[in-house]
């Protein structure tokens, strides 16, 4: 299967395998790996249905991630379907566990499978990037805010929620080393995403620039003062919209013209001569 060739085991997962071997946690390791694989398989099948380019699927000790350049660049409907396809796998897994309870499978193994399936599902539904719950919220934010502002807002929300949830777990005495490691990973991921949000924006804009036959049914008008840097102007672009930009009082540029100035002409500002040339 093509999906098997794309699976990679993270070094931390290999360490987990060694720990499971010495402590005899084979059932726990099997259940965790099976559920994570099925979860990521849901993302993969939905992504391949929409012809996304999936580079690999990495299995971590506490979950997995499907790596693709198409996140943030495809229509929001596609992104939503690919995102929820992972959590939906847990629903039929509940049905499978129920059926297995009638065919002689040990209750202890079924309980372990049920507990891990629930834990992984609830964890992935947390409104924190890069978890599925966070991605769903991010897709919703894109309907209200610009793409650049959505990334900045969602990463800050994620960082605040991580701190808040850690505080609650510490207060009620449910805190442990596993939660600490997961929290550190999520904090670093969101910090790097926030710090490199301009990179995500450029990738998104490049995909819009090279796409042919862009949908112009949802028009969004922007009004900016003369002399506004192009790099600041594109931060106002909303995902799923086609933009016309009013610069000053007279000049109107299309999104295509603006992106051509940014990527082809490589100018940081739109000069008066450039404006006249674009209008003509």
């Amino acid at each position: 299967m093509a999906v098997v060739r794309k699976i990679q085991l993270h070094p931390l997962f290999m360490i987990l395998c060694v720990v499971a071997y010495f402590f005899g946690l084979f059932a726990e390791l099997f259940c965790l790996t099976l559920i994570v694989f099925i979860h990521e398989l849901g993302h993969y099948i939905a992504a391949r249905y929409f012809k996304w380019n999936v580079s690999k699927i990495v299995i971590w000790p506490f979950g997995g991630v499907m790596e693709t350049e198409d996140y943030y660049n495809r229509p929001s409907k596609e992104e939503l379907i690919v995102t929820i396809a992972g959590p939906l796998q847990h629903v039929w897994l509940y049905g499978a566990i129920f059926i297995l309870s009638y065919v002689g499978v040990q209750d202890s193994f079924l309980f372990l499978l049920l507990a891990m399936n629930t834990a992984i599902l609830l964890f992935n539904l947390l409104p924190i990037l890069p978890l599925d719950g966070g991605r769903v919220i991010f897709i919703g934010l894109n309907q209200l805010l610009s793409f650049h502002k959505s990334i900045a807002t969602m990463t800050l929300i994620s960082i605040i929620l991580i701190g808040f949830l850690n505080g609650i777990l510490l207060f009620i005495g449910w805190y442990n080393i596993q939660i600490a490691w997961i929290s550190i990973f999520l904090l670093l991921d969101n910090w790097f995403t926030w710090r490199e949000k301009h990179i995500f924006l450029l990738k998104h804009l490049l995909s819009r620039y090279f796409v042919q036959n862009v949908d112009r049914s949802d028009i969004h008008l922007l009004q900016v003062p003369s002399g506004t840097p192009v790099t600041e102007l594109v931060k106002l672009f909303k995902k799923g919209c086609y933009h016309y930009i009013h610069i000053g009082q007279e000049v109107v540029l299309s999104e295509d013209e603006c992106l051509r100035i940014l990527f082809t002409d490589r100018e940081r500002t739109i000069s008066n001569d450039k404006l006249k040339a674009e209008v003509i």
Side-chain angles (χ1 to χ4, degrees), residues 72-129:
Y72 310 136
N73 294 328
R74 291 299 188 105
S76 295
K77 182 179 178 180
E78 286 186 19
E79 291 185 355
L80 182 61
I81 293 174
V82 172
T83 299
I84 65 175
L88 283 177
Q89 303 310 302
H90 297 268
V91 177
W92 71 260
L93 273 173
Y94 282 119
I97 294 171
F98 178 77
I99 293 173
L100 289 174
S101 65
Y102 286 93
V103 295
V105 179
Q106 287 186 345
D107 290 342
S108 59
F109 178 77
L110 291 177
F111 178 79
L112 178 62
L113 197 61
L114 179 64
M116 284 196 170
N117 188 51
T118 302
I120 294 174
L121 173 60
L122 294 178
F123 173 69
N124 271 279
L125 291 180
L126 290 174
I128 296 171
L129 286 177

Side-chain angles (χ1 to χ4, degrees), residues 166-183:
N166 273 262
I168 290 179
L169 293 175
L170 186 62
F171 178 76
I172 63 178
W174 287 9
Y175 207 73
N176 54 45
I177 188 65
Q178 292 88 349
I179 293 175
W181 277 112
I182 294 173
S183 299

Side-chain angles (χ1 to χ4, degrees), residues 179-243:
I179 293 175
W181 277 112
I182 294 173
S183 299
I184 291 172
F185 168 79
L186 293 175
L187 281 171
L188 289 175
D189 186 87
N190 279 279
W191 165 250
F192 286 123
T193 300
W194 183 87
R195 193 181 67 175
E196 298 180 357
K197 55 186 178 295
H198 62 287
I199 302 294
F200 288 96
L201 175 63
L202 286 175
K203 289 181 178 180
H204 174 65
L205 294 173
L206 280 169
S207 71
R208 295 169 73 134
Y209 184 49
F210 289 108
V211 168
Q212 300 296 321
N213 302 318
V214 174
D215 183 12
R216 291 172 168 79
S217 59
D218 190 358
I219 302 296
H220 190 64
L221 301 177
L222 296 174
Q223 178 76 50
V224 298
S226 300
T228 300
V230 184
T231 51
E232 293 299 317
L233 193 157
V234 295
K235 290 180 181 179
L236 302 176
F237 283 10
K238 291 182 64 177
K239 189 173 183 295
C241 298
Y242 188 82
H243 300 83

